[in-house]
Amino acid sequence: MQAGEAAAARAVALDDATVAFRVADARVYTAVDKATLGVDDGEFVAIVGPTGCGKSTLLNVAAGLLKPASGAVRIFDAALNGLNHQAGYLFQADALFPWKTAIDNVAIGLEIKGVARAEALERAQAWLTSVGLGAFGNRYPHMLSGGQRKRVGMAQVLIRDPRILLMDEPFGPLDAQTRQIMGNLLLQLWTKDRKAVLFVTHDLEEAIALADRVVIMSAGPGSRIIGDWRVPLPRPRDIFEVRLDKEFHALHREIWNVLKDEVMKGYAQSAGAA
Amino acid sequence: MNRLTLLLCQMLVAVVFFGLWQLLSTVPLFGVTVLPPFFFSNPVDVASQVVAWFASGVIWKHLLITLWESILAFAIGSLGGVMVGFWFARQPRVAAIFDPYVKMINALPRVVLAPIFTLWLGLGIWSKVALGVTLVFFIVFFNVYQGVKETSRGLVDNARMLGMSERQQLRHVYWPSALSWMFSSLHTAVGFAVVGAVVGEYLGSAAGLGYLIQQAEGTFDVAGVFAGMIVLSAFVILIDLAVTLAERRLLVWRPTAAESRG
């Protein structure tokens, strides 16, 4: 990943980014150590790592919510200063506004840009329909299931048409079947305009099934990027079927061999700390 | 227990209570009246006093005055509480400076302010409104302050990533969050508005339910005191009912215990 090597536009480029937090008694906790990572325009990159390895931290750096202690962040070849306004961020936790109905939650992204309310609502309705919730616009978030809330969240982010999509274990809290359905929905929406995607997950299978590249991080503290695999599976993919593919299994085994040790390390650390 | 039995049991409590009261205050037990009528009156007298008030219509004037005072105290106190709470939460430095004074005033029993307010604002409604405001303000203020400060980090991050400006965050995130906290204290706030009004009237006024009770007490009219208390209770229950209805309309977005699925 040397500079000048990339042919396509670099949507996100982290260069030696180190993230550190000040913790109790003035000690410094290094969450991510010298991470170098690039996401090309139109590329779907998944980051996989053991629990607590700073995957989300990396995403927050790309979003501009966190400033790295050292190193550089470039978004479409411009240094990132403040929030990354080209990115849409789908959070792990529910981040819908509980006092707004589903359709208002989706429309808000347009309304704050000054789009007239009638038009914003119309486009929000179209987005709700495309995530399969056309009839649920007037429900409040608490009246929706976890999976439905994620769909609304996707529509909320995508209606703004961001060039980069950051996703932090978006399907984490969902049950296995719903995760697969959501994965397929995500791929189907992504295929339409191929945004650059940075997708964080702890589920290696999900990562391989969805992404063009899978990046592995080591256990924290001071996690580093320790592996980068290209996923050669053809698109369009179906998450249910791609898992039966032989190549899928070969790649899964190869990556898992690396990931396994880190997972055990991370597990040992969290067990020791508890 | 189904609804009907519950209702019957609830009514039974009232029947037993008033029955015993009537019995003990009118029928001598071993030659002694356990509840001397002079101190305890009896339910029949109290009821006839209530009926007389409503029949002659004198009660309406007093009810209206108390209602009006409560509404004003609630409106002004809430408005002030929301604004100052919001301001303090967004300006930690201001909050830090005023913190000891806020605590001091809040610790003060508000009743001692009543004479001052009467002195400043006279015997009319405004001295009662002022007393109610000092009660309502702090409840709403603390709730809103806490609510704005504890607005979910995730929601704010989401708002920022969606491209909301500082002002839009105030309007779409902090403000609704603060209001929801204010509404959660609505019952208490309304209750205290009524308390402020009635206590104020009791301590010095020319009209209102508190005045009515105080007048009756002044002439040793025990039936009148109890009658005033009963009208006051009914009044508070009705207001509370109105608050519940308003809440149901305003907080549709909030999950209720019955609806939430674990």
Side-chain angles (χ1 to χ4, degrees):
Chain A
M1 252 171 283
Q2 297 297 311
E5 185 191 273
R10 256 298 133 85
V12 180
L14 304 184
D15 192 14
D16 267 347
T18 296
V19 188
F21 298 104
R22 197 152 305 180
V23 286
D25 43 278
R27 272 183 311 170
V28 170
Y29 176 86
T30 307
V32 176
D33 190 27
K34 293 195 175 170
T36 297
L37 173 69
V39 181
D40 287 342
D41 195 14
E43 192 180 30
F44 196 132
V45 176
I47 304 179
V48 186
T51 325
C53 74
K55 306 183 289 272
S56 309
T57 309
L58 216 54
L59 217 51
N60 284 337
V61 168
L65 289 167
L66 270 180
K67 255 185 103 66
S70 67
V73 185
R74 298 180 74 77
I75 303 298
F76 286 108
D77 293 323
L80 179 61
N81 200 357
L83 283 184
N84 181 352
H85 290 295
Q86 314 235 39
Y89 197 144
L90 194 58
F91 291 85
Q92 180 177 14
D94 268 330
L96 295 179
F97 304 110
W99 40 78
K100 288 185 185 293
T101 55
I103 194 162
D104 281 334
N105 259 296
V106 178
I108 187 71
L110 294 179
E111 282 182 72
I112 57 179
K113 277 205 286 192
V115 177
R117 181 159 170 82
E119 192 200 332
L121 284 180
E122 200 176 307
R123 282 166 65 186
Q125 181 58 43
W127 266 105
L128 280 179
T129 308
S130 66
V131 296
L133 289 177
F136 293 84
N138 57 0
R139 300 250 184 127
Y140 287 92
H142 78 92
M143 301 167 173
L144 300 169
S145 70
Q148 288 170 329
R149 284 202 288 267
K150 285 294 172 205
R151 286 163 189 262
V152 178
M154 263 190 190
Q156 185 185 50
V157 168
L158 290 172
I159 197 170
R160 293 177 58 246
D161 197 22
R163 295 178 72 187
I164 304 167
L165 199 52
L166 305 172
M167 307 178 92
D168 184 9
E169 300 198 34
F171 312 141
L174 306 178
D175 63 77
Q177 281 83 30
T178 315
R179 287 176 79 122
Q180 299 198 346
I181 294 168
M182 292 300 290
N184 268 342
L185 175 65
L186 172 62
L187 282 187
Q188 176 203 324
L189 293 172
W190 176 72
T191 310
K192 283 184 199 157
D193 55 1
R194 303 247 169 168
K195 299 173 190 308
V197 180
L198 198 51
F199 186 100
V200 161
T201 176
H202 59 258
D203 183 348
L204 181 55
E205 279 191 40
E206 185 176 61
I208 299 174
L210 290 172
D212 295 323
R213 262 169 61 212
V214 175
V215 171
I216 302 292
M217 289 184 75
S218 70
S223 20
R224 287 161 299 109
I225 290 174
I226 53 169
D228 193 335
W229 280 266
R230 206 153 271 290
V231 180
L233 302 168
R235 293 192 189 271
R237 295 180 199 161
D238 180 292
I239 300 215
F240 300 102
E241 276 159 29
V242 81
R243 285 171 203 242
L244 307 174
D245 198 294
K246 243 178 150 170
E247 258 181 294
F248 180 93
H249 287 283
L251 190 60
H252 187 277
R253 194 169 307 129
E254 195 182 323
I255 303 179
W256 177 245
N257 278 333
V258 176
L259 185 59
K260 191 170 57 186
D261 297 338
E262 295 305 324
V263 170
M264 296 318 283
K265 240 186 266 170
Y267 181 74
Q269 272 164 14
S270 58
Chain B
M1 206 188 294
N2 64 34
R3 273 185 87 102
L4 192 69
T5 358
L6 182 67
L7 197 69
L8 281 175
C9 287
Q10 285 171 338
M11 277 161 69
L12 192 68
V13 173
V15 169
V16 168
F17 177 79
F18 286 109
L20 273 178
W21 182 7
Q22 179 71 21
L23 203 72
L24 294 176
S25 57
T26 49
V27 182
L29 210 64
F30 309 114
V32 187
T33 307
V34 182
L35 300 176
F38 179 76
F39 294 111
F40 294 93
S41 185
N42 66 66
V44 173
D45 285 356
V46 172
S48 50
Q49 176 69 76
V50 173
V51 170
W53 277 342
F54 279 96
S56 66
V58 286
I59 192 76
W60 294 115
K61 173 187 147 200
H62 298 291
L63 271 175
L64 269 179
I65 295 263
T66 305
L67 180 67
W68 186 225
E69 287 164 356
S70 306
I71 290 173
L72 282 175
F74 172 74
I76 297 171
S78 305
L79 199 72
V82 168
M83 296 208 309
V84 178
F86 212 83
W87 182 42
F88 277 24
R90 298 295 293 159
Q91 308 282 340
R93 202 171 299 165
V94 178
I97 293 172
F98 282 101
D99 182 61
Y101 301 103
V102 168
K103 281 192 181 135
M104 221 150 82
I105 300 173
N106 186 44
L108 191 75
R110 252 42 69 72
V111 180
V112 302
L113 293 174
I116 296 280
F117 287 141
T118 313
L119 217 57
W120 289 347
L121 304 165
L123 287 174
I125 65 165
W126 289 106
S127 56
K128 286 85 205 167
V129 171
L131 190 61
V133 166
T134 61
L135 290 165
V136 172
F137 172 84
F138 283 95
I139 296 166
V140 174
F141 164 76
F142 283 120
N143 266 291
V144 169
Y145 179 63
Q146 209 63 12
V148 174
K149 271 181 67 168
E150 282 170 20
T151 300
S152 150
R153 197 66 238 161
L155 282 188
V156 178
D157 279 346
N158 192 26
R160 291 175 65 199
M161 288 309 294
L162 286 174
M164 284 194 203
S165 66
E166 190 82 4
R167 258 189 60 198
Q168 287 167 329
Q169 286 173 39
L170 280 183
R171 183 173 149 213
H172 292 288
V173 186
Y174 289 104
W175 185 246
S177 169
L179 279 192
S180 78
W181 278 80
M182 191 205 114
F183 287 131
S184 70
S185 62
L186 208 60
H187 284 276
T188 333
V190 168
F192 272 104
V194 177
V195 167
V198 173
V199 170
E201 288 162 0
Y202 183 83
L203 291 174
S205 66
L209 285 177
Y211 166 81
L212 217 56
I213 293 173
Q214 199 268 333
Q215 285 297 300
E217 192 191 306
T219 54
F220 295 102
D221 174 12
V222 181
V225 173
F226 281 121
M229 278 163 53
I230 284 172
V231 173
L232 182 60
S233 319
F235 175 72
V236 172
I237 285 178
L238 282 179
I239 286 190
D240 204 63
L241 205 70
V243 172
T244 307
L245 289 179
E247 205 175 37
R248 228 175 262 169
R249 280 195 64 88
L250 291 167
L251 294 181
V252 272
W253 56 267
R254 186 184 276 192
T256 60
E259 265 179 302
S260 63
R261 296 152 292 178

